Amino acid sequence: ASYLHQNGRSEDAVALHQKAIQVTEELVARSPRVVLFRKDLGEGHFLLGRTQLALEQMQAAADSFAAAENAFATVVQSSPESAEAHSNLGAAMYNRGLALREQGDRLIVHQLWTQAIEHQELAVALAPKIDKFREFLDNQRNAYDALREDSI
């Protein structure tokens, strides 16, 4: 799907992501206790949302990120000590905020980004040697600070 998107075939990438999500939803339905399937489902929705953001399909992207949040929240409940799970959940919240910001929904964006930062802070605390978690946290804090300055 990434290859398709990078080569100007974004609509085909969306369809491929949707098919992958459908297959993963079937796996989750058959084996609801397998956390890895929920993580895969969250990643599928997240990647779909990123493609939709690039296509400027903001409401569809927000919906995809909300679905990713739901899947990742289940993973966090099952694995509360997983830095990756918290980081994934924070990333989904942050990206849903990006989509909603474009629609002018600042209050929800503030709430989402506050929660996203909390999950990224926890990811950093749980795995302080993994640089990408700190980078995600810094990016989210910078975006949140800019949003607050725009609101003043």
Side-chain angles (χ1 to χ4, degrees), residues 1-2 4-5 9-18 48 51:
S2 295
L4 292 172
H5 176 66
R9 296 180 55 197
S10 296
E11 293 300 330
D12 292 336
V14 167
L16 189 57
H17 285 307
Q18 290 170 332
L48 175 59
T51 301

Side-chain angles (χ1 to χ4, degrees), residues 35-101:
V35 176
L36 181 60
F37 294 157
R38 299 246 181 218
K39 177 181 176 262
D40 290 346
L41 182 61
E43 289 173 352
H45 282 292
F46 184 85
L47 292 171
L48 175 59
R50 293 296 300 168
T51 301
Q52 291 164 327
L53 268 182
L55 292 169
E56 297 182 4
Q57 298 172 351
M58 296 308 172
Q59 187 57 54
D63 294 344
S64 292
F65 291 126
E69 281 178 53
N70 289 335
F72 290 142
T74 301
V75 177
V76 166
Q77 286 176 335
S78 298
S79 306
E81 298 301 314
S82 169
E84 181 182 26
H86 284 284
S87 182
N88 287 342
L89 180 54
M93 291 174 163
Y94 173 75
N95 279 277
R96 183 160 66 114
L98 284 176
L100 293 173
R101 180 185 66 184

